[in-house]
Amino acid sequence: MIGIENGKGGTMEENVKKGILYIVVPCYNEEEALLPSAKTLLEKLGELRNSGTVSEKSRIVFVDDGSRDRTWELITQLYHAHEEITGLRFAHNRGHQNAILAGMMYAKDFCDYAVTIDADLQQDINAIERFIAEYEKGSEVVYGVRNSRNTDGFFKKLSATLFYKTMRFMGANIYENSADYRLMSAKALAALSEYGEVNLFLRGIIPDIGLTSSVVHFDVFPRMQGKSKYSLSKMMTLAADGVTSFSIKPIRMVFGMGILALLVGFGMIIHIVYEHYFGYTIDGWSSILMSIWVLGGAILLSLGIIGEYVGRNYMETKRRPRYYFWDVLSHDQICRDGICRDGFEREEDLI
Ligand code: UDP
Ligand code: MG
């Protein structure tokens, strides 16, 4: 069989079986959890490599999200000790979503697929094999969905349930209880890189890409080392990003309220006129009440209309890709400066 070079140093035949896996781990003040987690991850990667599931070129990428403790120092030590460890470091704390994105965008040029997982390894790392199995069956994105929330406190459970319900109600296409533990193929990562928005909510954006996907269920364990790095304010910001970056439904609700208020207003006019002529009303009551209802409705409606334009403008400014090619079959070559895309020289140079 003819092996075709695929630009990643192996033949396609080889890499179908042995994909290059990059595990992306966001870390914020994780000095307690980092070393035990790195040990577990290295063991897992070793297992996957030895069993021939993933390529020898697979890596673990730690993204230090501007930690103020010894996290970077530990990542540096790990990098010097292990060939398969890569470290990236932010100058400031840019948040979990940005850390994951940065890791994935780094990985996309080297890997066949990347898996993101939290530094505390609360998510069951044994699900990675199942992620890979789904990828090999043809999924470009494999979502990790947690089995239960038994390890979470009451507040976290309640806030998470409320959050997912609100998100779905607002029209975002999002899996309930999907964590940022998932596999994305190089193609899905390339598609994701086209989304230029600043308010990132990956759990909403990734389903929006629309590539083939599947779901793998996994267990969640309690955090072993250190404390949760997701403060209440960080959680609220994430929720606000989730709702506002995916939907202009709240604006549409204002519009709906405007129409409702106007309808009630017109009903009230009949009631007011009736009361004015046949009932007992004090001076000024009719005109004030009418103004309140009709004007109130008109104001809400106008706000809704203005909001619709603002909302559309908002969606436009994100400059999301309109489409993404899944595959391209073409005999065309793009040649620039005598070099063509597939590595051949320009036809006239060959003659
Ligand atoms: N994290 C991050 N930046 C932040 C907050 C958290 O990179 O600003 C990382 C953190 O180091 C961990 C992951 O995001 O790897 C999830 O955080 P954590 O486990 O504290 O959240 P929880 O499990 O409590 O929701
Ligand atoms: Mg955690």
Side-chain angles (χ1 to χ4, degrees):
M1 191 170 175
I2 305 165
I4 304 164
E5 276 286 338
N6 70 350
K8 285 193 172 121
T11 61
M12 281 226 280
E13 198 193 337
E14 247 172 59
N15 280 328
V16 166
K17 287 191 206 93
K18 282 181 163 199
I20 302 173
L21 161 70
Y22 269 53
I23 302 178
V24 173
V25 192
C27 311
Y28 178 55
N29 293 342
E30 294 285 5
E31 61 181 6
E32 287 114 325
L34 197 67
L35 291 182
S37 297
K39 186 168 174 281
T40 317
L41 284 168
L42 282 164
E43 278 166 14
K44 184 86 220 162
L45 195 62
E47 254 175 55
L48 292 170
R49 282 161 66 161
N50 293 339
S51 64
T53 315
V54 301
S55 153
E56 292 293 313
K57 294 185 195 127
S58 299
R59 297 277 182 269
I60 301 168
V61 183
F62 288 107
V63 186
D64 180 354
D65 182 13
S67 302
R68 273 162 296 170
D69 63 358
R70 292 175 54 240
T71 301
W72 183 246
E73 202 181 307
L74 298 176
I75 294 175
T76 314
Q77 281 173 18
L78 286 164
Y79 160 76
H80 287 299
H82 302 275
E83 190 204 12
E84 52 276 74
I85 289 201
T86 302
L88 308 171
R89 184 191 196 182
F90 285 172
H92 299 286
N93 179 227
R94 304 302 302 147
H96 178 223
Q97 301 284 295
N98 280 312
I100 295 181
L101 184 77
M104 291 195 296
M105 289 303 105
Y106 171 83
K108 82 174 194 311
D109 299 325
F110 306 106
C111 72
D112 290 310
Y113 46 83
V115 170
T116 47
I117 189 165
D118 290 351
D120 51 8
L121 298 190
Q122 279 188 272
Q123 296 110 329
D124 180 9
I125 60 163
N126 296 316
I128 294 182
E129 274 106 327
R130 286 184 281 137
F131 282 173
I132 298 173
E134 288 298 326
Y135 165 82
E136 282 169 357
K137 277 192 247 159
S139 293
E140 302 286 346
V141 182
V142 186
Y143 298 98
V145 171
R146 47 193 297 169
N147 278 331
S148 74
R149 289 198 165 261
N150 292 341
T151 51
D152 283 349
F154 171 75
F155 178 70
K156 189 125 194 173
K157 255 189 225 169
L158 182 76
S159 57
T161 313
L162 267 175
F163 172 66
Y164 284 107
K165 294 263 179 289
T166 320
M167 284 298 294
R168 290 192 82 91
F169 174 71
M170 292 294 177
N173 181 8
I174 171 174
Y175 281 103
E176 192 147 340
N177 283 335
S178 63
D180 281 308
Y181 180 31
R182 67 175 91 73
L183 177 148
M184 290 183 76
S185 69
K187 184 184 281 180
L189 292 174
L192 179 65
S193 70
E194 308 247 326
Y195 284 72
E197 57 205 77
V198 176
N199 288 316
L200 267 189
F201 184 66
L202 292 171
R203 273 169 247 184
I205 294 176
I206 295 169
D208 200 64
I209 300 174
L211 294 169
T212 38
S213 66
S214 50
V215 166
V216 161
H217 289 266
F218 67 88
D219 288 323
V220 180
F221 309 118
R223 191 185 244 272
M224 293 300 186
Q225 295 90 9
K227 286 199 213 75
S228 171
K229 305 297 178 295
Y230 249 98
S231 58
L232 180 64
S233 72
K234 281 193 175 166
M235 229 148 64
M236 306 261 276
T237 313
L238 181 75
D241 275 351
V243 173
T244 54
S245 66
F246 266 86
S247 135
I248 52 171
K249 219 170 176 173
I251 293 175
R252 302 240 160 94
M253 284 174 171
V254 174
F255 189 77
M257 266 158 57
I259 292 185
L260 198 75
L262 260 190
L263 285 178
V264 175
F266 288 129
M268 285 298 279
I269 291 176
I270 298 167
H271 172 66
I272 291 161
V273 170
Y274 178 85
E275 285 290 315
H276 187 79
Y277 287 106
F278 303 105
Y280 172 73
T281 56
I282 53 167
D283 278 352
W285 178 82
S286 317
S287 52
I288 287 179
L289 214 63
M290 253 198 276
S291 324
I292 289 176
W293 276 99
V294 175
L295 262 182
I299 290 171
L300 273 176
L301 199 70
S302 321
L303 275 180
I305 293 170
I306 294 170
E308 189 69 28
Y309 282 97
V310 175
R312 275 161 199 271
N313 202 341
Y314 169 65
M315 286 301 182
E316 286 287 334
T317 50
K318 284 177 187 286
R319 305 204 65 78
R320 284 190 180 160
R322 294 201 188 100
Y323 49 78
Y324 190 76
F325 289 129
W326 190 336
D327 280 312
V328 176
L329 296 175
S330 160
H331 294 291
D332 295 337
Q333 282 185 345
I334 297 172
C335 299
R336 274 197 196 96
D337 303 326
I339 314 250
C340 297
R341 194 171 50 190
D342 58 3
F344 294 120
E345 283 174 59
R346 205 197 291 256
E347 217 168 296
E348 55 263 39
D349 297 337
L350 292 174
I351 301 166

